[in-house]
Each structure stands twice: as structure tokens, then as C-alpha cells.
Amino acid sequence: LPSVVGVVHQSEASRRLTPQLVQRLSQIEEPPCVGSDDANWQPIEGVPYRLLYENGELIPDQERRAMLTEWSELGRILVDLDAHHRLEDLARMMGFVDTVLWCVRPNEIDDASGK
């Protein structure tokens, strides 16, 4: 089982997937920690959450690494991001994950593939 999972959303349509995944994981194992860019995240009891972007910028490397290191000792981590961030930011965050779930609806395939 991957300990760090990246969930990338091509559009807002798939945003509800992450809270549902967190709820299900909380039922079958320890709740995961969630780092996200979703300022509208609704807190889930027992689930550590950290906003990864402040003022439109990815939080500094040192803060991010400290958070991910601390959370890796607690269990599974979900990194939940919009696909439209700068490529460098996505690469930084996805470089830490074991598995990426890229959520794309059929009408978003061209946008997701860069066409």
C-alpha cells in the first residue's frame, strides 16, 4: 500500500473525491494526514490538515519537508492539488508521493494531456 498518495484534480468536479477517500480510509485504518491547496476544505475530526499554498505560493521547502517528515511517522499522507499549478510546484509535491491519482473527466483529456 502506498504511504503517500497524490490526488491531482483536473477540475473542481473531482474535489469531493478526497474527503470521501479520507472518510473511507478512516473507517478501515488510521486516518490519513492531508496536505492540500483547497482553501474550502472542511475539517474532518481526527485528520491532520495543512494548506500547502499561502498567498498563491507553495509553502517554503523547509516547512513542507518538516510537515511531510512528521506526518510520515503518523501513517498515510494524501497530497491533494489542483492540476493547474505551476509545473515546478506539481513536480516538487509529486516527487514525494508513491502513487498519483490524476482525476480527469472525459471532456478534460485534451487539457490534461497538454493538447
Side-chain angles (χ1 to χ4, degrees):
L1 297 173
S3 60
V4 184
V5 176
V7 183
V8 181
H9 306 278
Q10 195 64 38
S11 72
E12 287 297 312
S14 62
R15 278 290 186 172
R16 62 189 169 154
L17 171 69
T18 304
Q20 292 172 345
L21 184 58
V22 169
Q23 293 284 5
R24 182 62 182 137
L25 287 172
S26 297
Q27 291 171 350
I28 60 175
E29 61 182 49
E30 291 295 315
C33 301
V34 179
S36 179
D37 62 354
D38 187 357
N40 296 316
W41 178 265
Q42 297 297 312
I44 298 172
E45 186 175 337
V47 176
Y49 177 84
R50 175 68 155 74
L51 196 57
L52 297 174
Y53 279 79
E54 294 175 351
N55 301 317
E57 294 292 322
L58 189 59
I59 60 174
D61 285 346
Q62 185 177 0
E63 277 184 59
R64 211 173 49 251
R65 285 190 185 120
M67 175 199 71
L68 293 170
T69 299
E70 178 185 335
W71 282 0
S72 66
E73 296 171 7
L74 298 175
R76 193 179 310 274
I77 301 170
L78 296 180
V79 177
D80 178 66
L81 297 173
D82 184 284
H84 298 94
H85 288 293
R86 292 184 327 203
L87 185 57
E88 299 83 22
D89 289 350
L90 287 173
R92 279 188 188 102
M93 293 309 303
M94 294 304 115
F96 186 78
V97 306
D98 301 314
T99 299
V100 177
L101 304 174
W102 200 287
C103 303
V104 180
R105 296 183 316 179
N107 64 328
E108 302 166 343
I109 292 173
D110 287 344
D111 187 33
S113 64
K115 291 184 180 178

